Amino acid sequence: MQEVQGLVIRNTGSHYLVLCDDGVERACLAKGNLRLRGIRSTNPIVVGDRVEVKLTPEGGGEAHFIKEILPRRNYILRRAANLSKQSHILAANIDASFLVCTLVAPETSTTFIDRFLANAEAYRVPTQLVFNKTDLLNEEGQAYLAELIALYTGIGYTCHRVSAITGEGLETLSEQMQDKITLFSGHSGVGKSTLINALIPGVDLRTGDISQAHYTGMHTTTFSQMIPLPTSKGYLIDTPGIKGFGLLDMQDEEVSHYFPEIFALQPQCRFGNCTHTHEPACAVREALEDGRIAESRYISYLSILEDKDEEKYRPEY
Ligand code: GDP
Ligand code: ZN
């Protein structure tokens, strides 16, 4: 055997650990001229990549080489904070991303949720909402949560009602992770680490507040790994600094493509390039009037339109 395909499960900065399709994990180097077309990135290969490895005969002391990256279904990245347009890809081929939200301690705003979802749509990363800390909700909070869940379920997003403390909803969440490459995001303090610890007992995570503190260190930013799930072939991506995905550059009329219920009405607007803000005979604003489009969603949509030109990169998204 001279070549084998595999899955990159760890990136240490100096080499990649590849779980090859013959079941063997091998440390590999990347060939110097490896490049991904169309993406200007500081790092060509990331966890979640499917790669083709050229094997070097064992015992010779030489490394195996990653020859080729197979086409990606999706990827997420962090934009460099400066304007160099360089970006740092964090992971590829994500099957499911879970946005952890809380209505109290701290409160996740619907604007944050919607902006996250729109970016996830743009990156083609299927996303589910995980409302955590349900044990802290009073009656009013429960009612608001029910409303939000009805809203997002209606749009097509799977929602989970969980508590990392009481264990509510964890079984269903765990089922959704089976055999998938998954990613947890969300504001600091919403309970990501607590949830992951409950889902994967004994896991040693670097995400969360602790790694955020080291986040500027070169080593910790390049190091990322996938943690195997105990009960299936799935993996959880563990990478520092994910709060969301970098905001994409998009045209005004493109923003609505990433709000599925707004996009669905677009064909009924008089103008094909309607931005649903001021145009006459706009089906979206009509739907807003009679409650078929939620006001909170429309506000989030406007917020992206408003600041996307001023600020292409916002660290919190
Ligand atoms: P992270 O920053 O998202 O990783 O959040 P942590 O996992 O560190 O959790 C932040 C705080 O919320 C900790 O004090 C946890 O004990 C608490 N917490 C997490 N999940 C729950 C929950 O479901 N219910 C309650 N009451 N507290 C929780
Ligand atoms: Zn319109």
Side-chain angles (χ1 to χ4, degrees):
M1 183 174 58
Q2 299 207 311
E3 284 177 10
V4 65
Q5 292 191 351
L7 174 69
V8 178
I9 57 176
R10 189 180 300 159
N11 171 9
T12 66
S14 59
H15 68 265
Y16 303 91
L17 189 64
V18 179
L19 172 60
C20 298
D21 290 351
D22 60 358
V24 181
E25 289 181 6
R26 295 182 173 91
C28 301
L29 298 175
K31 262 198 169 5
N33 60 358
L34 245 183
R35 208 154 281 148
L36 258 191
R37 246 169 299 146
I39 303 174
R40 226 158 104 194
S41 160
T42 48
N43 58 323
I45 305 171
V46 294
V47 293
D49 267 328
R50 294 275 315 164
V51 293
E52 182 127 355
V53 175
K54 183 165 174 10
L55 297 176
T56 311
E58 303 292 341
E62 286 185 36
H64 306 292
F65 276 98
I66 294 176
K67 232 184 83 184
E68 202 182 322
I69 307 172
L70 303 184
R72 289 174 176 155
R73 272 202 319 282
N74 60 32
Y75 61 89
I76 54 169
L77 51 77
R78 186 178 60 226
R79 289 269 167 80
N82 57 34
L83 292 174
S84 66
K85 291 236 170 189
Q86 281 272 6
S87 49
H88 188 79
I89 300 182
L90 297 167
N93 300 323
I94 298 148
D95 296 307
S97 98
F98 296 93
L99 177 61
V100 182
C101 313
T102 46
L103 300 189
V104 286
E107 180 178 359
T108 309
S109 70
T110 51
T111 320
F112 180 80
I113 295 175
D114 295 335
R115 296 177 69 121
F116 188 98
L117 290 175
N119 275 300
E121 292 286 343
Y123 281 95
R124 297 190 305 277
V125 177
T127 299
Q128 305 187 11
L129 297 179
V130 178
F131 292 96
N132 188 32
K133 305 198 190 184
T134 53
D135 58 292
L136 295 182
L137 296 178
N138 59 18
E139 217 169 291
E140 197 187 333
Q142 294 284 2
Y144 180 47
L145 178 58
E147 257 176 56
L148 284 183
I149 289 180
L151 166 62
Y152 289 106
T153 308
I155 297 167
Y157 295 107
T158 300
C159 296
H160 300 269
R161 177 197 289 263
V162 305
S163 165
I165 302 292
T166 68
E168 181 193 357
L170 295 189
E171 211 167 305
T172 320
L173 183 55
S174 176
E175 278 162 19
Q176 289 291 326
M177 297 170 71
Q178 300 299 307
D179 299 325
K180 293 181 183 147
I181 295 179
T182 55
L183 173 76
F184 277 69
S185 310
H187 283 312
S188 169
V190 295
K192 295 180 295 297
S193 325
T194 316
L195 269 176
I196 291 166
N197 275 302
L199 292 161
I200 313 176
V203 72
D204 178 23
L205 269 195
R206 299 161 324 97
T207 45
D209 296 337
I210 301 157
S211 63
Q212 292 289 330
H214 303 271
Y215 166 38
T216 45
M218 190 53 200
H219 178 66
T220 50
T221 54
T222 49
F223 182 93
S224 53
Q225 63 180 346
M226 297 207 295
I227 298 166
L229 300 182
T231 55
S232 78
K233 284 181 305 191
Y235 289 91
L236 177 81
I237 296 168
D238 179 21
T239 181
I242 298 200
K243 286 197 177 163
F245 317 142
L247 206 56
L248 286 178
D249 296 338
M250 39 179 126
Q251 303 294 316
D252 277 3
E253 59 267 26
E254 215 184 320
V255 175
S256 66
H257 297 197
Y258 308 121
F259 285 75
E261 80 282 32
I262 294 182
F263 190 51
L265 291 174
Q266 181 116 13
Q268 295 165 40
C269 295
R270 178 179 300 165
F271 300 108
N273 60 354
C274 188
T275 62
H276 323 301
T277 52
H278 60 275
E279 297 87 346
C282 169
V284 171
R285 281 187 302 132
E286 280 164 21
L288 183 66
E289 299 269 301
D290 58 32
R292 283 174 292 129
I293 296 277
E295 203 176 340
S296 61
R297 292 280 291 169
Y298 187 68
I299 289 171
S300 302
Y301 165 73
L302 290 184
S303 89
I304 295 182
L305 273 188
E306 271 159 23
D307 68 11
K308 75 178 197 39
D309 292 329
E310 292 154 29
E311 210 179 349
K312 292 267 163 60
Y313 178 77
R314 315 188 106 219
E316 70 266 39
Y317 293 112

